[in-house]
Amino acid sequence: MENLKLQANDDTLYTVLDAIEAHLDENDCPNDVKTRILIAVEEIYVNIAHYAYGGNEGEAQVQMDVSQDPRCCQVVFRDKGIPYNPLEKEDPDISLSAGEREIGGLGIYMVKQYMDKVEYRYEEGYNILTIEKRLDKAGV
């Protein structure tokens, strides 16, 4: 299990990505599945860094675990920022051109498409967003 607690900013993004990639490599995660997980982690972490604390810096916690039966990766993000459930945002209309679509929402849409499970809850002053992805080829 990987547990990180750090200042949520662009500089610490690579610490998170490197740790998760190393953990996935240790667990023989297929490259295409690993890429989807890393994209989802980047989208979520950047949103925390840029928006959770209203332009100020704050702390983020990232916990990752890989279960073996079934082979599944779970990543949990925690922050004490402004309460916000990104899953309540309406999915963008991807049939529209980039110029016709409203700005925002595409990142969390990708997360929902790439992951097998995405859940949000607000508990004891924390935003908690959990993503899960199966690590076998069927999970792509």
Side-chain angles (χ1 to χ4, degrees):
M1 181 181 310
E2 188 72 39
N3 253 324
L4 300 170
K5 186 183 280 191
L6 27 79
Q7 288 298 308
N9 59 48
D10 291 339
D11 294 334
T12 58
L13 168 64
Y14 296 102
T15 302
V16 172
L17 292 175
D18 290 346
I20 289 178
E21 183 171 19
H23 200 63
L24 290 170
D25 287 343
E26 289 170 12
N27 286 277
D28 299 318
C29 179
N31 281 332
D32 48 351
V33 176
K34 179 172 61 175
T35 297
R36 288 174 181 252
I37 293 169
L38 292 173
I39 288 170
V41 167
E42 181 173 351
E43 288 295 334
I44 294 166
Y45 193 81
V46 167
N47 281 343
I48 292 169
H50 291 193
Y51 305 114
Y53 294 98
N56 298 311
E57 205 167 278
E59 188 176 86
Q61 298 174 30
V62 182
Q63 179 182 11
M64 184 202 164
D65 195 21
V66 173
S67 64
Q68 296 304 319
D69 191 21
R71 282 181 29 84
C72 181
C73 169
Q74 180 183 74
V75 183
V76 180
F77 301 85
R78 288 181 177 83
D79 69 76
K80 284 194 167 200
I82 301 161
Y84 178 69
N85 181 352
L87 303 179
E88 289 178 347
K89 184 165 178 57
E90 189 173 321
D91 289 342
D93 184 350
I94 58 171
S95 68
L96 300 174
S97 71
E100 295 173 312
R101 278 195 311 263
E102 286 187 37
I103 294 175
L106 196 55
I108 196 66
Y109 174 75
M110 286 182 2
V111 170
K112 291 191 289 189
Q113 297 303 305
Y114 283 178
M115 297 296 102
D116 296 319
K117 187 175 182 182
V118 183
E119 295 179 334
Y120 170 86
R121 69 185 190 277
Y122 187 78
E123 189 174 277
E124 297 178 12
Y126 282 94
N127 290 297
I128 303 170
L129 186 68
T130 303
I131 60 173
E132 290 184 8
K133 183 72 175 161
R134 288 179 28 208
L135 297 185
D136 57 19
K137 286 290 188 182
V140 178

